[in-house]
Amino acid sequence: CPIEHTRIRIQIQRGQADKVYTGSLDATVKIFKQHGFKGLNRGQGPTTVRESTGLCLYFSIIEYLTGRLTPPGVDKNSVPIYVPIIAGGVGGTSYWVFNYPFDYVKTLMQSDKLGDLKYKSMWQCFSEQYRLGGWRTFFKGYLICLMRSFPVNSAAITTY
């Protein structure tokens, strides 16, 4: 979570006037000095939910599809190339199908103004965002994420 948090802090800097951090290490040190461990781990709640449910689903689907798509009598280490391509792509896409709203909330929390937080908790962020835009607000950028997910995870599992 601290790595994603510092990345987001660097990304939201708009120009020289807004530039607070010179890099990842600088951001980590400054956030820790000013806001402590809690500030550095801002967004840990939605990150934990996203990763725990997402990775469980991701690897379960990959294992299931690998087993179903592997021809009888073929060793798991010698599967045809289409098996990891399909299993990785479907597994990676499944990760985001159920977890994108948590990633959206995590990003909002991590880009929130430190020291003057708009969102005190994950649930407050969810309810405020829902109140402002309904369920659709949690899926901004969703399509591009799904379009990227299949090929990226296919390649990752195939080359693993």
Side-chain angles (χ1 to χ4, degrees):
C1 185
I3 292 171
E4 287 190 43
H5 187 192
T6 56
R7 176 185 52 83
I8 287 172
R9 289 280 162 203
I10 292 166
Q11 286 176 337
I12 63 174
Q13 297 180 121
R14 301 240 186 263
Q16 289 298 61
D18 287 345
K19 196 164 187 172
V20 177
Y21 311 112
T22 58
S24 300
L25 185 59
D26 182 53
T28 302
V29 170
K30 285 179 178 173
I31 293 169
F32 185 76
K33 280 184 177 178
Q34 294 173 357
H35 304 283
F37 186 75
K38 191 173 181 180
L40 197 57
N41 284 283
R42 179 95 175 119
Q44 186 63 51
T47 301
T48 300
V49 173
R50 182 195 73 188
E51 292 299 313
S52 60
T53 59
L55 291 175
C56 180
L57 186 62
Y58 177 70
F59 287 114
S60 295
I61 288 175
I62 289 170
E63 282 299 311
Y64 174 76
L65 288 176
T66 299
R68 297 288 295 174
L69 296 172
T70 300
V74 174
D75 184 280
K76 200 173 177 182
N77 295 322
S78 304
V79 298
I81 191 73
Y82 68 84
V83 173
I85 289 173
I86 293 170
V90 173
T93 303
S94 298
Y95 175 98
W96 289 111
V97 166
F98 297 104
N99 288 293
Y100 196 80
F102 289 99
D103 189 67
Y104 178 77
V105 167
K106 173 202 71 77
T107 302
L108 288 176
M109 291 180 71
Q110 290 179 336
S111 59
D112 204 357
K113 185 176 182 192
L114 289 171
D116 185 25
L117 299 174
K118 181 177 180 181
Y119 306 111
K120 306 289 186 217
S121 71
M122 173 176 69
W123 300 117
Q124 180 195 11
C125 187
F126 265 113
S127 62
E128 178 71 15
Q129 289 299 304
Y130 183 78
R131 186 183 65 73
L132 292 172
W135 64 270
R136 287 190 172 136
T137 196
F138 300 106
F139 293 93
K140 293 176 184 174
Y142 186 62
L143 182 59
I144 195 70
C145 178
L146 289 182
M147 289 171 57
R148 173 189 157 277
S149 182
F150 194 96
V152 166
N153 287 284
S154 289
I157 296 303
T158 301
T159 58
Y160 174 74

